[in-house]
Amino acid sequence: QVQLEEQGGGLVQPGDSLKLSCTISGRTFETLAMGWFRQVPGKEREFVARYRRGGGSRWYSDSVRGRFTMTGSSDKHKVFLQMNMLEPEDTAVYYCAARDGPSSAYGPAYDYWGQGTQVTVSS
């Protein structure tokens, strides 16, 4: 059974940086495609970044490309989301997700989800 746990959310000011981590239990991203999504109350869950199985190739949404970077630990038990130049529009609950198939920007394609971590960007 795969379990995901996010850490690292918090309250920051516009322009600040924050790094989220997602700990993977039960398997590693060697055999799982990983994704980061975010959700604001009343809105659809939004794709942020994704990572192919085994790491390497990554894709980002247009709204975060150039500011956010997704990486993975060498032991393949964690993925990270480095968020730079944060904007108030980045405020959301951020979720880590994993799936057994190819990586995807489509949330419902994912099989496993963390509980989410709140990121608030405000002056």
Side-chain angles (χ1 to χ4, degrees):
Q1 179 69 15
V2 174
Q3 292 185 317
L4 306 175
E5 183 177 4
E6 304 94 340
Q7 298 98 17
L11 171 64
V12 296
Q13 294 187 336
D16 283 354
S17 297
L18 201 61
K19 186 173 184 177
L20 305 182
S21 62
C22 172
T23 301
I24 308 164
S25 301
R27 284 164 64 182
T28 71
F29 65 76
E30 185 67 38
T31 60
L32 292 166
M34 303 298 300
W36 284 99
F37 292 79
R38 65 187 182 186
Q39 190 168 23
V40 175
K43 292 192 174 182
E44 296 275 324
R45 193 168 294 187
E46 175 190 17
F47 163 71
V48 174
R50 60 189 173 103
Y51 208 50
R52 66 180 297 173
R53 278 178 295 183
S57 298
R58 292 159 287 184
W59 298 265
Y60 301 94
S61 69
D62 290 343
S63 61
V64 309
R65 188 177 297 112
R67 299 187 299 121
F68 291 12
T69 303
M70 185 175 183
T71 58
S73 64
S74 57
D75 66 2
K76 295 185 167 47
H77 275 288
K78 288 191 174 186
V79 292
F80 306 99
L81 186 68
Q82 176 68 46
M83 305 185 292
N84 298 330
M85 296 182 289
L86 282 160
E87 303 168 351
E89 292 73 23
D90 296 315
T91 296
V93 177
Y94 283 72
Y95 296 90
C96 176
R99 71 182 301 248
D100 290 304
S103 70
S104 173
Y106 184 55
Y110 284 78
D111 304 299
Y112 312 102
W113 291 86
Q115 81 288 351
T117 186
Q118 176 71 46
V119 172
T120 302
V121 185
S122 175
S123 55

